[in-house]
């Protein structure tokens, strides 16, 4: 059995490749940016700052040999990483470059798969359109598996429109403009139609796939893992106010931050504080409107080694997202013993049990979020109980468990195909 894992960026594709390597089915891991000996990425790393070198370290694993990895369009991949961090460039060039690279990357992957007579290709949502179209036409025997890391865009668009109608705020449409451009949505829908099977990390992603017409029987639920050694557990012993909350991720409207900031700003700093750990735009309305709130602090980007300390110093993690796939940050928070307040659109909310390791509220519902926060203020002594359960709830959510689930899903898919 020979399987290709291909992603022009990264997401969790490296972990998928490791899973297949471990069960002996990986033919190649194909990507654009990887710290492979003799690669451009390896050379450039020499000139990076210490902070960026830590980030670059995530672009390599000892679990794969260099010969397992094939790099395509590496220079454009590195350019895209730079553009993503510069707002002026990101808004003008990122999407165009992404589509150009996706098309060329996908065509090369398809030709490589056909030439080497592989059994299956795993690609990722928004990246598989060209590759799967070619395989469906020229090599339909090659199984096409779409690993869907986030709720389908059509489903997200529906949720965003509902939120905009509720808030009378159009920022979501500006921020996620491609969702209202038919040429992009057509591609997102086509790759679903051209896929034989789907890997979905959560029930919300499964729901979104069914929403756009995917066959429920072709969807395999495979939750992500967390390295519990990187996010070590310290049980919280909280009995005094304020309730210290932390959010980790980009500070934008898709993440539901406009709801979170509105709710938090209505509380006194003696009752609740909020740290936002993630990139933000200093010119954005979200920042300008709330930068002077005494109980809200914008930390900016925080490296993972420092992030674990922030989790441990916080009472609860809050994740108000309006569109997600799983939200690995939920697992990271729980791993440190930090209970989670999550929207029901996060994916990671699958693991949350109300009153045990956190609480779940309806995405975009300010009243429900405010009620949970007020409840925790009034019952601050329950933090210790929630903290112990938070850690316990992720003990079987390691990456090794993810690898086992991938192995089982692959075996199940090939058995099903052989019966047809």
């Amino acid at each position: 059995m020979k399987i290709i894992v291909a992603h022009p960026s990264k997401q969790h594709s490296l972990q998928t490749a490791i899973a297949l390597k471990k069960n002996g089915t990986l033919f190649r891991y194909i990507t654009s940016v990887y710290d492979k000996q003799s690669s451009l990425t390896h050379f450039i790393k020499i000139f990076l700052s210490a902070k960026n070198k830590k980030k670059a370290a995530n672009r390599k694993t000892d679990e794969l040999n260099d010969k397992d990895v094939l790099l395509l369009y590496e220079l454009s991949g590195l350019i895209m990483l730079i553009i993503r961090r510069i707002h002026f460039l990101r808004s003008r060039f990122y999407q165009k470059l992404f589509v150009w690279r996706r098309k060329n990357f996908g065509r090369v992957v398809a030709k490589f798969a056909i030439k080497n007579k592989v059994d299956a290709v795993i690609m990722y949502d928004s990246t598989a359109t060209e590759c799967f179209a070619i395989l469906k036409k020229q090599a339909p025997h090659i199984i096409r598996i779409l690993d869907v890391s986030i709720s389908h865009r059509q489903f997200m668009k529906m949720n965003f429109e509902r939120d905009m109608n509720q808030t009378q705020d159009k920022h979501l449409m500006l921020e996620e403009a491609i969702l209202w451009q038919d040429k992009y949505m057509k591609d997102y829908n086509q790759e679903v139609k051209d896929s034989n099977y789907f890997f979905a990390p959560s029930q919300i992603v499964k729901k979104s796939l069914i929403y756009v017409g995917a066959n429920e029987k072709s969807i395999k639920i495979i939750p992500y893992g967390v390295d519990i050694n990187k996010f070590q557990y310290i049980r919280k012993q909280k009995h005094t106010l304020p309730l210290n909350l932390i959010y980790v991720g980009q500070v934008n409207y898709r993440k539901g931050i406009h709801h979170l900031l509105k709710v938090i700003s209505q509380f006194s700093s003696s009752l609740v504080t909020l740290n936002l750990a993630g990139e933000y735009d200093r010119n954005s309305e979200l920042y300008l409107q709330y930068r002077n709130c005494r109980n809200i602090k914008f930390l900016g980007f925080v490296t993972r080694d420092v992030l674990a300390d922030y989790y441990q110093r916080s009472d609860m993690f809050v994740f108000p997202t309006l569109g997600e796939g799983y939200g690995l940050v939920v697992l990271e928070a729980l791993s440190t013993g930090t209970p989670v307040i999550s929207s029901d659109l996060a994916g990671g909310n699958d693991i949350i049990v109300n009153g045990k390791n956190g609480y779940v509220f309806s995405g975009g519902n300010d009243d429900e979020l405010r009620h949970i926060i007020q409840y925790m203020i009034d019952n601050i002594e329950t933090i210790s109980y929630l903290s112990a359960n938070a850690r316990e709830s992720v003990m079987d959510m390691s990456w090794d468990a993810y690898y086992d689930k991938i192995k089982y899903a692959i075996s199940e898919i090939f058995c099903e195909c052989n019966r047809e």
Side-chain angles (χ1 to χ4, degrees):
M1 192 185 303
K2 299 192 298 186
I3 303 174
I4 287 173
V5 175
H7 197 315
S9 297
K10 179 174 172 274
Q11 290 178 315
H12 64 281
S13 62
L14 190 55
Q15 297 294 344
T16 312
I18 292 171
L20 299 187
K21 176 72 174 180
K22 286 180 175 293
N23 69 28
T25 60
L26 179 68
F27 183 69
R28 287 290 188 281
Y29 173 48
I30 307 178
T31 189
S32 292
V33 180
Y34 186 86
D35 186 13
K36 183 177 178 178
Q37 203 77 26
S38 78
S39 68
L40 184 58
T41 304
H42 186 76
F43 174 74
I44 290 176
K45 193 177 70 169
I46 300 171
F47 304 98
L48 296 178
S49 65
K51 182 178 180 179
N52 285 322
K53 279 183 179 178
K54 288 181 181 178
K55 293 172 73 174
N58 293 323
R59 296 281 177 169
K60 185 176 177 64
T61 175
D62 293 336
E63 300 286 350
L64 301 182
N65 300 319
D66 278 0
K67 66 180 182 180
D68 294 321
V69 182
L70 174 63
L71 295 181
L72 300 176
Y73 299 98
E74 184 182 14
L75 178 59
S76 63
L78 291 168
I79 291 172
M80 285 188 68
L81 288 176
I82 296 171
I83 289 177
R84 280 185 64 181
R85 285 158 176 77
I86 304 173
H87 179 72
F88 172 79
L89 295 176
R90 182 174 69 242
S91 61
R92 286 163 176 77
F93 302 113
Y94 184 83
Q95 188 61 30
K96 291 180 181 178
L97 182 56
F98 175 85
V99 172
W100 174 86
R101 193 163 62 107
R102 183 204 74 193
K103 289 180 178 180
N104 288 282
F105 184 92
R107 289 166 185 152
V108 176
V109 170
K111 291 178 183 178
F112 184 79
I114 294 169
K115 178 181 177 181
N116 289 279
K117 300 178 181 179
V118 302
D119 299 294
V121 173
I122 301 173
M123 289 197 75
Y124 297 77
D125 52 295
S126 81
T127 74
T129 307
E130 282 71 28
C131 180
F132 282 9
I134 293 171
L135 293 180
K136 184 178 181 179
K137 182 178 180 180
Q138 299 182 18
H141 59 281
I142 296 178
I143 301 169
R144 304 175 299 281
I145 304 171
L146 189 67
D147 194 321
V148 185
S149 60
I150 194 168
S151 293
H152 191 276
R153 272 70 173 181
Q154 198 76 45
F155 181 79
M156 284 201 294
K157 179 183 176 183
M158 178 265 294
N159 287 323
F160 293 167
E161 288 177 338
R162 181 177 60 191
D163 190 77
M164 288 188 294
N165 288 333
Q166 171 193 325
T167 62
Q168 294 299 300
D169 187 329
K170 300 297 182 183
H171 276 92
L172 269 167
M173 183 179 286
L174 298 174
E175 188 177 278
E176 303 289 335
I178 63 170
L179 300 188
W180 283 266
Q181 296 182 37
D182 290 341
K183 62 180 179 179
Y184 295 127
M185 296 304 289
K186 182 179 178 181
D187 286 345
Y188 296 142
N189 291 326
Q190 190 61 48
E191 69 180 5
V192 170
K193 293 177 182 177
D194 289 342
S195 301
N196 301 120
Y197 288 92
F198 305 90
F199 290 164
S202 62
Q203 291 298 326
I204 197 66
V205 172
K206 179 179 179 178
K207 182 178 179 180
S208 76
L209 286 169
I210 294 171
Y211 177 79
V212 294
N215 184 344
E216 183 175 1
K217 294 180 179 179
S218 67
I219 303 171
K220 311 295 181 182
I221 299 289
I222 307 177
Y224 302 142
V226 63
D227 187 343
I228 58 177
N229 295 318
K230 285 186 178 179
F231 296 92
Q232 294 184 345
Y233 168 59
I234 298 177
R235 183 170 178 174
K236 302 179 189 302
Q237 303 291 338
K238 183 73 173 183
H239 300 287
T240 59
L241 295 173
L243 175 70
N244 298 314
L245 303 178
I246 187 170
Y247 161 82
V248 178
Q250 288 189 326
V251 179
N252 58 28
Y253 287 84
R254 178 172 73 84
K255 298 289 187 178
I257 297 302
H258 51 305
H259 291 286
L260 177 61
L261 294 178
K262 177 184 176 182
V263 169
I264 295 299
S265 68
Q266 294 169 351
F267 286 94
S268 164
S269 59
S270 63
L271 297 178
V272 180
T273 65
L274 171 67
N275 282 319
L276 299 155
E279 296 177 352
Y280 64 93
D281 180 3
R282 287 183 174 274
N283 297 313
S284 74
E285 204 165 305
L286 287 173
Y287 175 71
L288 295 174
Q289 184 176 353
Y290 294 100
R291 62 181 174 177
N292 294 322
C293 286
R294 294 182 61 187
N295 60 342
I296 297 172
K297 186 174 182 179
F298 293 82
L299 301 177
F301 176 77
V302 175
T303 56
R304 290 197 173 272
D305 54 330
V306 177
L307 186 56
D309 292 333
Y310 273 107
Y311 279 133
Q312 290 163 355
R313 282 185 270 145
S314 303
D315 299 320
M316 299 190 79
F317 172 74
V318 59
F319 198 48
T321 186
L322 299 175
E324 215 66 43
Y326 196 87
L328 286 173
V329 285
V330 171
L331 295 183
E332 293 171 355
L334 293 171
S335 181
T336 64
T338 307
V340 173
I341 301 172
S342 173
S343 82
D344 61 354
L345 300 173
N349 62 284
D350 285 358
I351 198 174
I352 304 301
V353 178
N354 283 329
K356 186 174 182 180
N357 59 351
Y359 292 90
V360 178
F361 66 97
S362 301
N365 191 315
D366 294 349
D367 290 337
E368 286 187 22
L369 176 57
R370 188 182 299 107
H371 175 77
I372 291 171
I373 292 173
Q374 185 62 57
Y375 178 84
M376 291 309 306
I377 291 170
D378 296 337
N379 297 274
I380 194 73
E381 73 281 355
T382 64
I383 290 290
S384 182
Y385 168 78
L386 294 171
S387 177
N389 289 331
R391 173 67 172 191
E392 184 64 28
S393 65
V394 295
M395 292 306 291
D396 62 348
M397 297 291 291
S398 66
W399 282 113
D400 282 335
Y402 169 83
Y403 302 152
D404 289 340
K405 291 183 178 77
I406 287 285
K407 180 180 179 179
Y408 179 81
I410 291 294
S411 176
E412 195 174 46
I413 286 171
F414 276 88
C415 286
E416 290 172 8
C417 289
N418 289 333
R419 285 198 300 265
E420 293 177 355

